[in-house]
Amino acid sequence: MGEQQFFLKWNDFQNNMVSSFKHLRDEKSFTDVTLACDGQTCKAHKMVLSACSPYFKTLLEENPSKHPIIILKDVSFNHLQAILEFMYAGEVNVSQEQLPSFLKTADRLKVKGLAETQSPFSNKREG
Amino acid sequence: MGSGNDMNNGAAKSGTGVWSSDGHGYCLRWNNHKSNLVEILEALIKMECYVDCTIYVDNHVQFKAHRVVLAACSPYFQAILQDAPQDHCSIIFPGVQEFEMRTLLEYIYAGEVNIAESQIPRIMKIAKMLEVKGLLDMVDLTSNISQQQQQPISAPPNLFRQESHASILSENKRDNQTSSFPLHHPLTHSSPIISTSTKISSAQSSSSPPYNYKSSPYVASLYSQSPSGARDLIAGPGMPNQEMGDDERGRNWPPPLPLSLARSAQSMLSSVYETGSDMNPLKRKKLSSINSMLMTRDTPILRNVLAQSNAADSSQGGVHPQNANSPTRGDLSNRNDGNGNGSDNIENNDTNNNENNGNNAGNASGGNNGSVYVSYVRKSGDRSYHSSNGSDNSDKKYKDEEPSSPLTERSFDDESMNDSRQRVSPPEFDMRIPAYLQQQAQFHQAQYQHQSGGQGSGSSSQKPEWKRYKQYTRNDIMSAIECVRNGMSALQASRKFGVPSRTLYDKVKKLGITTGTPRNRSSSSKRDPGPSSSSAAFPYGSLSGAAGAFLYPNQDNQLSQSQDFDSELENELKIHRPNPHAGLLDPVFLQKLAQEARSDEFRGDALHAMALAAAAHAQFNGMGSTSRSHDSPSASVLSKFMNRHSESIEMERERLDRERSRSNGDQTSLIKNEPVDDSDEDMEKAENLSLSKCESPPNITPPPQAQTPPSFEARGVIVPPMKYTSSPRSEPSSTTPPSISEQALSLEKSECKQQSFNNDAPIALTPTTTANYDD
């Protein structure tokens, strides 16, 4: 009767998305937000930031802009890059020395997966 | 200069083709181009015209701005905005408060901003993050300065320093702008560039008080909300006088003031140096502002500086310190009157006489002394100038004083002063002098320099005293004085209580107690009662008799007043206090000089002299020559002075401001300090205003300069105090600019190698800046 429904599943969807986002970030393609701290900047995608951090989500929602520049206070650029790496790849390598401060920064930015867990082993994937 | 040069270059380049064909080319220069641009930017931001950037801060507050301006004032913004989309972009500052961003934007657009002390740290932090030009340098300098300052005195909060830096920066910028205009100030070309000035200022003034009393109209208007600081002095442009008065009067100023004062003093010194070397109107403004700041605020440092400056003003060193140190009761009345130099001298006799003598000498010196000095300078050569001048002055003073002054004590002081001067004066002063001479190489200048050198030497001696002062307590001094009154010799008393003998001498003299036996100053005119004698001693007058005379009278008045205040305070409080008078004198001196310079042909000379004097003072102050044992003027005394002066002066200032405002329409921007680029004339006016304001405070009303700056400038003048605070201690920071700094440094070093504070700030100004502009 009804048309037969096919279930199409992209088995590598998640991996593909992750790699695609990473690729887009590396190429700075379609980046629509600039993060700045420590006098350095890096570009990212609002969508990814919003998906991975309620902090950025709120920030970007409250300040709608085509390409906002977010200047973060008290955030080291290394940590910011690590957090972005974590957001885009779901994993990141952080030295033990930097771990506490990194987690602190992540907590401040409310990065999903990092903000909730204080344990150094938390490497949850963030949307 | 820089702008002018740029303009020229651009014109030349563009016109090369035409030139080749015609063989004739014209350089069309818009003298006020820079200032005009700045003003336009401010107007545009007020109206939010052509804004292409929105800055969001917490609580959904947003500011409109021009990316061009942001990028121009911050390499950080420049880097960020470079890649930003071309259309309207948004900058989000999470965690930044509204007032912080407003303050920074005001600073960026107006070049100056009033900040509450409590806000300084946060604002400076953000400024550092954003790499806001001027403020960024300030931070580094401030840290250095703060450390230095902290060591000698209770360390003032870094924040203040930073603010001061900012203010300084703004001033520097103005200077630069002004310097860009070649027409008005040929001398200014050599003036330090902004960068240098900023560095210097930061170093010196890093501790400078955060309050920029100059409430530039722009700042207030630019972003509707003024910085939240309770102290916001941002009062409307028309209100500068009142603000000044409040500030001065309101010793209530936040506790940080003392530090800020010191910083301001430093800034004053630095500014003086700059002005002297550069002769730029901006510098003048700075100086004036600094002076005003000094006048208004009572910080120990300021006091010291003031005392030093006073001593420097008197340039007769030995005597002045005494006067400044121990204001006698009789002096109070006399000084309060502060009418004519002659009157002051006569009335004040002892303490006042010293200062008056110095002033008189300066004034009168136009004839005899001045010529003598000149000759000295020439003979001795550049290097020898300062030392020789200082010694000569002191000697002359002594001679003058000796006949008139019955008390041997003075002679002691004088001797000590001379010794100190001679000791200190050596090479450094020489270095400074030659530089100045080279720039202006005029008799007048030389004379001024000599004066300044003399003052500097005196100040140098004073500075050590300061340090000493710290070492002993008021109680020690008081007890020592009591012992002296009871017949103990000053030396014994000084040893017994660990009080510097010189300071003790000075105080005792001020109190009218001869060494061994107490005497009233008024009764015993130890120092030359007659100004004439003092005048003879001073060579200053030689430069420009008229100009010098103007300056001196004012100074005398101020000095007399300050002394009176001190004496009153001392009498009332019976507390030892450093020579605030010297500081007052110096600023007044500077102001007068600046005014004279402006009004008169001698501007260059006067400026140089001012700069020299300031440098000398700063050096002396910073160095704190041991020779003079100035009683440390208590802050309260200073504040009293300031208040009194401010009150009486305020009226004058208001008048002056009004006149100036009438005369100059655009001056308001200039007043802001930032105004920078306004036409050279405007700059000069602004400077004049600042000077006038400074002068005005002393009640004596400085001779109205032909170019009267707008009231704002006066406010702007107020700003300097911030800088001053860092003065001696901050100076040590090595960041000082080259030329001026070198001179100042050399002087300071020679005089007071011990304290390098003054050197840094003041010195840095000229050399580097000049180079930049020239480029």
Side-chain angles (χ1 to χ4, degrees):
Chain A
M1 299 297 292
E3 295 180 357
Q4 187 174 359
Q5 300 290 325
F6 291 89
F7 177 74
L8 302 180
K9 182 177 181 180
W10 186 357
N11 289 327
D12 264 352
F13 171 77
Q14 290 184 344
N15 291 336
N16 182 61
M17 289 298 289
V18 169
S19 61
S20 296
F21 278 130
K22 190 173 182 179
H23 184 69
L24 291 174
R25 176 170 176 255
D26 292 341
E27 287 187 342
K28 295 181 180 178
S29 297
F30 309 113
T31 55
D32 51 9
V33 62
T34 299
L35 298 174
C37 64
D38 278 357
Q40 293 175 289
T41 63
C42 58
K43 296 184 181 299
H45 300 89
K46 289 184 199 174
M47 191 174 68
V48 175
L49 294 181
S50 299
C52 297
S53 166
Y55 174 84
F56 281 114
K57 182 171 183 292
T58 304
L59 198 65
L60 294 170
E61 285 175 348
E62 291 177 350
N63 304 291
S65 174
K66 186 175 181 181
H67 188 120
I69 299 169
I70 301 175
I71 299 179
L72 299 171
K73 281 175 57 182
D74 304 328
V75 174
S76 81
F77 188 70
N78 291 334
H79 289 168
L80 178 63
Q81 283 194 314
I83 287 171
L84 287 176
E85 176 70 15
F86 179 80
M87 286 179 172
Y88 277 89
E91 59 188 18
V92 67
N93 294 321
V94 178
S95 67
Q96 187 172 353
E97 298 174 354
Q98 297 293 326
L99 191 56
S101 58
F102 171 77
L103 290 177
K104 188 176 180 181
T105 301
D107 189 57
R108 225 160 52 78
L109 299 179
K110 298 179 183 175
V111 178
K112 290 179 182 176
L114 293 177
E116 301 124 356
T117 58
Q118 293 300 329
S119 68
F121 302 97
S122 64
N123 281 335
K124 299 177 182 178
R125 291 182 182 179
E126 300 296 332
Chain B
M1 293 300 295
S3 65
N5 292 339
D6 294 345
M7 295 292 291
N8 295 339
N9 294 339
K13 292 177 181 177
S14 63
T16 52
V18 175
W19 291 37
S20 61
S21 62
D22 296 347
H24 295 285
Y26 294 93
C27 172
L28 302 179
R29 180 180 298 166
W30 183 356
N31 288 326
N32 294 336
H33 180 259
K34 289 182 178 180
S35 61
N36 190 29
L37 264 183
V38 173
E39 291 177 0
I40 290 173
L41 282 176
E42 292 181 1
L44 287 178
I45 193 63
K46 287 178 183 177
M47 296 183 296
E48 293 189 352
C49 270
Y50 310 120
V51 292
D52 52 5
C53 174
T54 304
I55 297 174
Y56 297 90
V57 296
D58 286 358
N59 299 327
H60 305 282
V61 178
Q62 52 181 269
F63 298 92
K64 304 287 187 183
H66 301 96
R67 277 184 282 189
V68 172
V69 176
L70 295 179
C73 296
S74 164
Y76 187 85
F77 274 120
Q78 188 176 8
I80 292 174
L81 296 173
Q82 205 164 10
D83 299 334
Q86 294 303 313
D87 55 347
H88 195 95
C89 78
S90 303
I91 301 176
I92 302 173
F93 283 94
V96 174
Q97 298 298 317
E98 177 184 358
F99 76 90
E100 297 169 338
M101 186 53 59
R102 175 175 290 107
T103 300
L104 280 178
L105 288 175
E106 287 180 2
Y107 173 79
I108 289 172
Y109 273 93
E112 65 183 11
V113 68
N114 298 319
I115 311 176
E117 290 182 4
S118 60
Q119 300 174 344
I120 296 175
R122 297 193 60 177
I123 291 172
M124 289 306 295
K125 184 177 179 181
I126 297 174
K128 185 178 181 180
M129 180 183 75
L130 298 179
E131 300 178 7
V132 177
K133 291 178 182 176
L135 293 175
L136 185 62
D137 296 343
M138 299 294 286
V139 175
D140 296 341
L141 295 175
T142 54
S143 63
N144 295 337
I145 296 166
S146 64
Q147 294 175 352
Q148 294 174 349
Q149 291 177 347
Q150 290 175 352
Q151 293 175 351
I153 300 169
S154 61
N158 295 340
L159 299 176
F160 296 91
R161 297 174 183 174
Q162 293 175 347
E163 290 180 353
S164 63
H165 290 293
S167 64
I168 295 167
L169 293 173
S170 64
E171 291 179 357
N172 293 338
K173 291 177 179 178
R174 295 175 183 175
D175 293 347
N176 293 339
Q177 294 174 351
T178 55
S179 65
S180 63
F181 306 93
L183 296 176
H184 296 281
H185 307 279
L187 296 175
T188 58
H189 294 286
S190 64
S191 66
I193 300 168
I194 296 167
S195 63
T196 57
S197 63
T198 57
K199 291 178 180 179
I200 296 167
S201 63
S202 63
Q204 293 176 345
S205 64
S206 60
S207 61
S208 66
Y211 316 90
N212 294 343
Y213 293 103
K214 302 175 179 177
S215 56
S216 63
Y218 297 97
V219 174
S221 62
L222 287 181
Y223 296 89
S224 58
Q225 296 176 348
S226 62
S228 62
R231 296 176 181 176
D232 300 350
L233 298 180
I234 300 171
M239 301 303 292
N241 292 337
Q242 294 176 349
E243 291 178 355
M244 291 296 291
D246 295 346
D247 294 345
E248 294 176 354
R249 294 174 183 174
R251 298 174 182 173
N252 302 337
W253 283 41
L257 289 177
L259 294 176
S260 65
L261 291 175
R263 296 172 184 174
S264 65
Q266 292 178 350
S267 63
M268 290 291 292
L269 294 174
S270 63
S271 65
V272 172
Y273 289 103
E274 292 178 355
T275 57
S277 62
D278 294 352
M279 299 299 294
N280 291 343
L282 294 175
K283 293 179 179 179
R284 294 176 182 175
K285 293 178 180 179
K286 292 179 179 178
L287 292 174
S288 64
S289 64
I290 292 168
N291 293 335
S292 65
M293 292 295 291
L294 292 174
M295 294 300 292
T296 57
R297 297 176 184 175
D298 323 339
T299 46
I301 297 170
L302 291 177
R303 296 173 185 172
N304 293 338
V305 174
L306 292 173
Q308 294 174 351
S309 64
N310 290 337
D313 292 347
S314 63
S315 73
Q316 296 169 349
V319 175
H320 292 287
Q322 294 176 349
N323 294 336
N325 291 340
S326 61
T328 57
R329 295 173 184 175
D331 293 349
L332 292 175
S333 62
N334 294 339
R335 293 175 182 176
N336 289 339
D337 295 347
N339 296 337
N341 294 338
S343 64
D344 292 346
N345 292 334
I346 296 167
E347 293 175 355
N348 294 340
N349 291 339
D350 296 348
T351 58
N352 292 340
N353 287 344
N354 293 338
E355 294 175 354
N356 292 337
N357 291 343
N359 295 334
N360 293 338
N363 296 335
S365 60
N368 299 338
N369 294 339
S371 62
V372 172
Y373 276 80
V374 173
S375 64
Y376 276 100
V377 172
R378 292 176 182 177
K379 293 177 180 177
S380 61
D382 294 348
R383 293 181 180 178
S384 62
Y385 288 122
H386 295 285
S387 62
S388 64
N389 291 338
S391 63
D392 294 347
N393 292 336
S394 63
D395 294 345
K396 292 177 180 178
K397 293 177 181 178
Y398 287 107
K399 293 176 181 178
D400 295 345
E401 292 175 355
E402 289 175 356
S404 62
S405 65
L407 300 179
T408 56
E409 292 177 353
R410 291 180 180 177
S411 65
F412 284 101
D413 295 345
D414 293 348
E415 291 176 355
S416 63
M417 293 300 292
N418 292 336
D419 295 347
S420 65
R421 291 177 182 175
Q422 292 174 350
R423 295 173 185 174
V424 176
S425 59
E428 293 178 353
F429 285 98
D430 297 348
M431 293 301 291
R432 294 178 182 175
I433 295 168
Y436 285 102
L437 293 175
Q438 292 175 350
Q439 293 176 349
Q440 297 177 347
Q442 295 175 349
F443 291 96
H444 299 287
Q445 295 175 351
Q447 292 175 349
Y448 283 103
Q449 292 175 350
H450 290 295
Q451 294 176 351
S452 65
Q455 295 174 352
S457 64
S459 65
S460 65
S461 63
Q462 292 175 350
K463 289 183 178 179
E465 292 177 358
W466 248 74
K467 293 178 179 179
R468 292 179 181 176
Y469 171 71
K470 294 176 182 177
Q471 295 176 352
Y472 56 84
T473 64
R474 292 178 180 175
N475 290 335
D476 293 339
I477 295 173
M478 293 305 293
S479 54
I481 292 172
E482 289 299 326
C483 288
V484 173
R485 284 180 178 173
N486 293 337
M488 181 181 289
S489 69
L491 283 173
Q492 291 176 342
S494 64
R495 291 174 183 172
K496 181 178 179 181
F497 295 97
V499 177
S501 59
R502 291 179 182 174
T503 55
L504 184 58
Y505 276 123
D506 293 343
K507 290 182 178 179
V508 170
K509 290 178 180 178
K510 290 179 180 178
L511 294 175
I513 303 170
T514 56
T515 56
T517 61
R519 293 180 184 176
N520 292 338
R521 294 178 182 174
S522 62
S523 64
S524 65
S525 61
K526 296 176 180 179
R527 299 170 185 175
D528 297 352
S532 63
S533 63
S534 63
S535 65
F538 290 88
Y540 304 96
S542 63
L543 296 176
S544 58
F550 285 101
L551 296 174
Y552 290 101
N554 293 338
Q555 293 175 347
D556 291 348
N557 294 337
Q558 293 175 350
L559 292 173
S560 64
Q561 293 174 350
S562 64
Q563 291 176 349
D564 294 348
F565 289 103
D566 291 349
S567 64
E568 290 178 357
L569 293 173
E570 289 178 354
N571 293 336
E572 294 175 358
L573 299 177
K574 293 180 179 178
I575 298 168
H576 299 284
R577 297 172 182 176
N579 301 342
H581 303 294
L584 295 173
L585 292 173
D586 290 350
V588 175
F589 221 38
L590 296 173
Q591 293 175 350
K592 292 178 179 179
L593 291 174
Q595 291 177 349
E596 291 178 358
R598 295 172 183 173
S599 62
D600 299 348
E601 296 173 355
F602 303 93
R603 291 181 181 176
D605 295 347
L607 291 175
H608 289 290
M610 293 288 291
L612 291 172
H617 289 296
Q619 292 176 348
F620 287 101
N621 294 337
M623 298 309 289
S625 65
T626 57
S627 63
R628 292 182 181 176
S629 61
H630 298 288
D631 296 353
S632 61
S634 63
S636 63
V637 174
L638 292 173
S639 64
K640 290 180 180 179
F641 278 102
M642 296 303 292
N643 293 339
R644 294 179 181 177
H645 288 290
S646 65
E647 292 177 355
S648 61
I649 294 164
E650 286 177 356
M651 296 302 294
E652 295 177 354
R653 289 180 179 175
E654 291 178 353
R655 295 176 183 175
L656 293 173
D657 292 348
R658 292 174 184 175
E659 293 176 356
R660 294 171 183 174
S661 62
R662 294 174 183 174
S663 64
N664 297 341
D666 297 344
Q667 292 173 347
T668 56
S669 64
L670 294 175
I671 295 167
K672 294 176 180 178
N673 292 338
E674 300 171 353
V676 182
D677 293 354
D678 297 351
S679 59
D680 294 350
E681 293 177 355
D682 293 349
M683 293 302 291
E684 292 177 355
K685 292 177 180 178
E687 292 178 355
N688 293 337
L689 291 173
S690 63
L691 293 172
S692 64
K693 291 179 179 179
C694 294
E695 293 173 354
S696 62
N699 294 346
I700 297 167
T701 67
Q705 298 172 347
Q707 300 170 347
T708 58
S711 59
F712 297 99
E713 291 177 353
R715 296 175 184 174
V717 172
I718 297 169
V719 177
M722 302 292 289
K723 301 173 182 177
Y724 293 90
T725 54
S726 63
S727 57
R729 296 174 183 174
S730 62
E731 292 175 357
S733 61
S734 60
T735 57
T736 62
S739 62
I740 298 170
S741 62
E742 289 177 356
Q743 294 175 348
L745 290 173
S746 64
L747 292 171
E748 292 176 354
K749 291 176 180 177
S750 63
E751 292 175 353
C752 321
K753 294 177 180 177
Q754 297 172 348
Q755 299 173 345
S756 61
F757 306 102
N758 297 340
N759 296 341
D760 297 348
I763 296 168
L765 301 174
T766 44
T768 57
T769 56
T770 57
N772 294 337
Y773 287 101
D774 294 347
D775 295 345

